């Protein structure tokens, strides 16, 4: 087991420790468009429905993202809790694809497949022929849609918080690693001062966006966080552990309006000049922080107050 490298600093409240949840995003289908939320139950694998579905190449079995198929950025994903359906639509498709929001093995789901997601083997079940035909037509090559097999647990084994304080073993669905990804508006504003094109939350695919209550809060303050606390009614606070920086791949280079990869290498080309900041992996472009909750079952919502309770050191000593 690889534990997070840190020496948490004693907590002393300052004006820079106060933040607010300003946006929440879930990504039901990995690498497709996000769905904005006003609130969500915190599950073992993150926000509700987050990255429980994933596209795979039907021939090679490898998972497919915007890195290989940038037009996935054009697939809109809508959640309808009343009809319990997930709806996919795309500009070039004459019809939508409707999927059950809570698919059942043996009814909505078929054969089990093992897929390698970076350093982990993850198990999913086939979502059927209709999904395969719709996505194959859109992508232009044979695609299989998988739903995370609920009978198989994918535990995170790297950069773990202390077992005595984190009561929920970190786990995720088809996310790259940890169940939560956090960015701050303060840091995004700073990034936008140093890149040639305006970037939004969607270029970095966070689950949680935090805004500072203090206008003087420094950018990248989140890179010193180890534990943050969310306020709840009746003073029932709960914590989230911030585990590591998030290395960035080429996905921010996708033009989200056209579903094409930019040919000039931006914004990663510019980010490389000032965001290779992790001491353990000094050649990695980093933006945002990985995180895991102390326990599941609580609610996160827009406007929720967040306080930094512990600070410390982060270093990517092992592959994330």
């Amino acid at each position: 087991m690889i534990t997070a490298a840190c020496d948490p600093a004693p907590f002393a409240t300052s004006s820079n420790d106060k933040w607010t949840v300003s946006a929440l995003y879930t990504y039901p289908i990995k690498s497709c468009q996000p769905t904005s939320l006003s609130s969500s139950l915190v599950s073992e694998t993150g926000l509700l429905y987050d990255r429980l579905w994933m596209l795979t190449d039907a021939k090679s079995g490898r998972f497919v993202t915007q890195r290989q198929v940038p037009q996935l950025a054009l697939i809109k994903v809508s959640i309808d809790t009343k009809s319990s359906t997930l709806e996919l639509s795309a500009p070039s498709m004459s019809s939508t694809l409707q999927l059950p929001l809570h698919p059942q093995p043996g009814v909505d789901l078929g054969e089990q497949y093992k897929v390698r997601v970076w350093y982990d083997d993850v198990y999913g079940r086939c979502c059927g022929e209709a999904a395969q035909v719709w996505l194959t037509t859109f992508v232009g090559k044979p695609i299989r849609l998988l739903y995370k097999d609920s009978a198989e647990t994918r535990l995170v084994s790297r950069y773990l918080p202390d077992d005595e304080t984190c009561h929920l073993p970190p786990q995720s669905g088809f996310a790259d690693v940890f169940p939560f990804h956090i960015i701050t508006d303060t840091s995004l504003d700073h990034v936008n001062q140093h890149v040639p094109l305006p970037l939004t939350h969607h270029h970095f695919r966070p689950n949680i966006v935090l805004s500072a209550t203090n206008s003087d809060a420094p950018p990248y303050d989140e890179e010193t966080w180890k534990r943050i606390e969310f306020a709840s009614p009746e003073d029932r606070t709960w914590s989230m552990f911030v585990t590591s920086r998030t290395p960035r791949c080429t996905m921010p280079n996708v033009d989200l309006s056209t579903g094409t990869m930019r040919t000039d290498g931006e914004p990663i080309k510019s980010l490389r000049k000032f965001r290779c900041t992790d001491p353990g992996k000094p050649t990695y472009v980093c933006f945002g922080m990985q995180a895991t909750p102390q326990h599941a079952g609580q609610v996160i919502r827009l406007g929720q107050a967040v306080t930094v309770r512990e600070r410390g050191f982060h270093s990517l000593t092992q592959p994330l």
Side-chain angles (χ1 to χ4, degrees), residues 71-92:
Q71 63 263 39
L72 294 182
L74 301 178
I75 296 181
K76 181 181 178 180
V77 182
S78 302
I79 297 171
D80 188 334
T81 55
K82 291 183 178 179
S83 63
S84 195
T85 57
L86 194 72
E87 183 179 85
L88 279 63
S89 60
S92 62

Side-chain angles (χ1 to χ4, degrees), residues 26-29 35 49 52-53 76-81 83-89 96-103 145 147:
T26 188
Y27 305 80
I29 301 180
T35 297
Y49 315 116
L52 295 182
W53 289 262
K76 181 181 178 180
V77 182
S78 302
I79 297 171
D80 188 334
T81 55
S83 63
S84 195
T85 57
L86 194 72
E87 183 179 85
L88 279 63
S89 60
T96 61
L97 173 65
Q98 301 224 350
L99 300 167
L101 193 55
H102 304 283
L145 182 65
Y147 180 79

Side-chain angles (χ1 to χ4, degrees), residues 2 119 158-159 223 244-248 271-272 274-287 313-320:
I2 301 169
Y119 300 95
R158 305 174 291 282
Y159 304 102
E223 295 191 346
S244 73
R245 293 179 179 85
T246 302
R248 310 308 317 196
L271 288 168
R272 192 169 297 282
F274 68 102
R275 288 307 305 151
C276 293
T277 54
D278 190 273
K281 301 290 182 183
T283 63
Y284 286 16
V285 174
C286 294
F287 184 77
F313 176 75
H314 290 281
S315 179
L316 292 167
T317 55
Q318 296 288 330
L320 186 62

Side-chain angles (χ1 to χ4, degrees), residues 18-306:
K18 301 296 184 180
W19 299 75
T20 302
V21 177
S22 55
L24 293 171
Y25 301 105
T26 188
Y27 305 80
I29 301 180
K30 186 179 178 74
S31 242
C32 294
Q33 289 186 17
T35 297
S36 298
L37 302 173
S38 58
S39 65
S40 174
L41 195 71
V42 174
S43 74
E44 289 83 356
T45 58
L47 297 182
L48 287 181
Y49 315 116
D50 190 55
R51 296 174 177 92
L52 295 182
W53 289 262
M54 182 175 70
L55 279 67
T56 62
D57 186 308
K59 291 184 176 179
S60 69
R62 295 177 180 173
F63 75 98
V64 176
T65 72
Q66 290 180 32
R67 286 181 292 275
Q68 304 87 24
V69 184
Q71 63 263 39
L72 294 182
L74 301 178
I75 296 181
K76 181 181 178 180
V77 182
S78 302
I79 297 171
D80 188 334
T81 55
K82 291 183 178 179
S83 63
S84 195
T85 57
L86 194 72
E87 183 179 85
L88 279 63
S89 60
S92 62
M93 300 297 288
S94 59
S95 64
T96 61
L97 173 65
Q98 301 224 350
L99 300 167
L101 193 55
H102 304 283
Q104 300 300 311
V107 179
D108 310 299
L109 301 173
E111 185 177 353
Q112 185 191 69
Y113 291 87
K114 181 172 73 173
V115 185
R116 190 75 170 176
V117 179
W118 300 115
Y119 300 95
D120 299 323
D121 288 329
V122 190
Y123 292 87
R125 290 194 175 274
C126 181
C127 292
E129 184 177 357
Q132 185 164 334
V133 169
W134 196 93
L135 289 164
T136 294
T137 300
F138 178 75
V139 173
K141 66 177 183 178
I143 293 292
R144 181 181 294 118
L145 182 65
L146 299 183
Y147 180 79
K148 172 71 173 60
D149 194 333
S150 59
E152 303 283 349
T153 301
R154 179 195 177 194
L155 295 175
V156 178
S157 61
R158 305 174 291 282
Y159 304 102
L160 302 181
D162 190 290
D163 290 342
E164 294 182 2
T165 54
C166 185
H167 307 309
L168 179 69
Q171 55 186 287
S172 60
F174 287 127
D176 282 353
V177 191
F178 279 91
F180 284 94
H181 180 223
I182 299 173
I183 69 170
T184 68
D185 279 327
T186 305
S187 298
L188 182 60
D189 289 345
H190 184 269
V191 162
N192 275 322
Q193 296 172 25
H194 296 85
V195 294
L197 66 157
L199 301 176
T200 68
H201 300 161
H202 301 328
H203 287 92
F204 297 104
R205 303 179 70 79
N207 296 112
I208 303 171
V209 182
L210 298 178
S211 295
T213 59
N214 172 23
S215 60
D216 294 328
Y220 317 114
D221 187 63
E222 63 274 17
E223 295 191 346
T224 70
W225 300 351
K226 299 302 294 187
R227 183 173 66 88
I228 56 178
E229 187 177 77
F230 291 76
S232 290
E234 301 175 358
D235 295 325
R236 294 179 181 176
T237 59
W238 56 276
S239 291
M240 189 170 287
F241 295 91
V242 183
T243 56
S244 73
R245 293 179 179 85
T246 302
R248 310 308 317 196
C249 62
T250 58
M251 277 180 55
N253 291 355
V254 174
D255 185 324
L256 300 179
S257 64
T258 63
T260 57
M261 187 71 73
R262 291 177 60 93
T263 58
D264 60 2
E266 294 292 354
I268 291 296
K269 180 180 178 181
S270 292
L271 288 168
R272 192 169 297 282
K273 297 176 182 178
F274 68 102
R275 288 307 305 151
C276 293
T277 54
D278 190 273
K281 301 290 182 183
T283 63
Y284 286 16
V285 174
C286 294
F287 184 77
M289 302 298 288
Q290 300 284 299
T292 191
Q294 186 176 28
H295 52 82
Q298 63 274 27
V299 174
I300 185 171
R301 57 177 57 86
L302 296 182
Q304 197 165 15
V306 178

